Amino acid sequence: MKVRANLMNADDMNRALKRISHQILERNQGADHIVLLGIKSRGIPLAELLADHLHTIEGVQVPVGQLDITRFRDDRSRAAGEDTSRIPVDITGKHVILVDDVLYTGRTVRAALDAVSAYGRAASIQLAVLIDRGHRELPIRADYVGKNVPTSKSEFVAVYLESSDGRTGVELLGKECESTQF
């Protein structure tokens, strides 16, 4: 895959996450009843970064959990195995904010909604994504978006995080044609 565009650098990502944090606090009238659930795998470190911003802004430690949606997927084979979700508090009556890196078809979020429902009855479920690239197959919309990036279906959005990749940023990738025919 070839890099077609650098969409965000580390500073851009930090600003987007800070803005999303302010929007979360405004919509939920503070941080007291919020739980962040990072969708495995890239959503987890993003949820932790959001929690850090929320703590800096509001002075409240927001619980952060991990949501494994494997057994709730309808578009991939459901591998029998252990649920690796870690939900740190009872979510009943809480404002659960699902966090993921890229919103594309909506199938991951649909599975996450089912997974959250298996853990309790939240007061609300909201969605925060770093990148919304369009091409929805389901009627799902993010409440908080770092950046909207129109893409073609042949392109791919790669999110890099220092903790796992040794660098931070977002790139638009695509396959280049081997030859041009007229």
Side-chain angles (χ1 to χ4, degrees), residues 36-91:
L36 298 172
L37 295 181
I39 299 174
K40 209 168 182 188
S41 62
R42 296 275 179 197
I44 297 166
L46 290 172
E48 291 166 349
L49 291 169
L50 280 173
D52 290 344
H53 283 293
L54 292 169
H55 182 261
T56 299
I57 297 164
E58 198 77 1
V60 174
Q61 283 296 137
V62 174
V64 178
Q66 303 179 28
L67 195 60
D68 180 354
I69 62 165
T70 306
R71 63 190 176 116
F72 297 95
R73 298 292 304 223
D74 69 352
D75 60 342
R76 298 185 186 157
S77 90
R78 297 177 189 191
E82 178 182 342
D83 177 9
T84 60
S85 295
R86 285 192 230 140
I87 313 299
V89 295
D90 180 7
I91 63 167

Side-chain angles (χ1 to χ4, degrees), residues 15-173:
R15 275 191 296 279
L17 292 171
K18 191 180 291 186
R19 179 176 38 78
I20 289 170
S21 298
H22 281 284
Q23 291 171 341
I24 288 170
L25 291 170
E26 184 176 326
R27 177 172 177 178
N28 294 287
Q29 299 167 344
D32 293 330
H33 301 288
I34 293 174
V35 176
L36 298 172
L37 295 181
I39 299 174
K40 209 168 182 188
S41 62
R42 296 275 179 197
I44 297 166
L46 290 172
E48 291 166 349
L49 291 169
L50 280 173
D52 290 344
H53 283 293
L54 292 169
H55 182 261
T56 299
I57 297 164
E58 198 77 1
V60 174
Q61 283 296 137
V62 174
V64 178
Q66 303 179 28
L67 195 60
D68 180 354
I69 62 165
T70 306
R71 63 190 176 116
F72 297 95
R73 298 292 304 223
D74 69 352
D75 60 342
R76 298 185 186 157
S77 90
R78 297 177 189 191
E82 178 182 342
D83 177 9
T84 60
S85 295
R86 285 192 230 140
I87 313 299
V89 295
D90 180 7
I91 63 167
T92 302
K94 304 281 190 200
H95 299 291
V96 172
I97 300 170
L98 298 172
V99 181
D100 206 4
D101 58 346
V102 179
L103 177 57
Y104 182 39
T105 63
R107 294 198 174 278
T108 297
V109 176
R110 192 223 40 90
L113 291 169
D114 288 348
V116 168
S117 296
Y119 289 101
R121 185 171 170 85
S124 69
I125 302 173
Q126 301 162 34
L127 175 62
V129 297
L130 184 61
I131 302 291
D132 184 345
R133 62 174 288 198
H135 302 289
R136 231 55 97 240
E137 294 175 4
L138 299 171
I140 290 176
R141 178 183 66 81
D143 299 280
Y144 314 101
V145 177
K147 185 171 188 157
N148 287 292
V149 179
T151 63
S152 73
K153 288 188 176 188
S154 65
E155 293 173 316
F156 179 77
V157 174
V159 175
Y160 302 103
L161 299 164
E162 186 68 36
S163 59
S164 57
D165 304 306
R167 65 183 174 131
T168 301
V170 181
E171 295 176 340
L172 180 63
L173 307 174

